[in-house]
Amino acid sequence: MIASVIICFLGVLAVVAIDYLGNVVSLLGSLVGIPIALIYPPLMHNQLVDSSKTTRFFNYSLSLVGFIAASAASYTTISSWDEGAEG
C-alpha cells in the first residue's frame, strides 16, 4: 500500500516536473527500489521463518542498512535537484 502511494505521488511529480524526469526516476529508485531489495525481504523472512536470534539480528541489521541507503539516496537526489534539469 505504501509503495503504491509513493508511486502515484512520484507519477504526479513526474508530470509536474517533466524537465527533472531523471531526478524523479532517481527518487523512485531510492524510495521504492531500495526498500524492495534491502528492507522488505529480511523483515518478511523474520515473519515467515522461525529463526535464531543471530539470524534475526542480521535481518534487522540489513533492513537498517537499507533504510540508511534509501535515506541517503533520497537526500542526495533532493539536494541536487536543480543540477539535473534537462531543459
Side-chain angles (χ1 to χ4, degrees):
M1 182 69 170
I2 294 171
S4 298
V5 170
I6 291 173
I7 289 172
C8 290
F9 168 73
L10 289 172
V12 170
L13 184 63
V15 170
V16 172
I18 193 70
D19 290 337
Y20 300 94
L21 192 57
N23 288 348
V24 173
V25 171
S26 178
L27 199 57
L28 177 67
S30 64
L31 292 176
V32 178
I34 292 175
I36 287 174
L38 295 176
I39 297 174
Y40 301 143
L43 294 178
M44 284 191 272
H45 182 261
N46 281 344
Q47 292 294 320
L48 297 174
V49 178
D50 187 24
S51 55
S52 67
K53 289 183 180 182
T54 304
T55 302
R56 288 186 176 278
F57 171 75
F58 283 119
N59 283 341
Y60 286 127
S61 298
L62 181 59
S63 293
L64 179 64
V65 168
F67 180 77
I68 292 169
S71 300
S74 298
Y75 174 77
T76 302
T77 300
I78 292 169
S79 67
S80 65
W81 192 269
D82 288 336
E83 298 170 12
E86 297 171 3

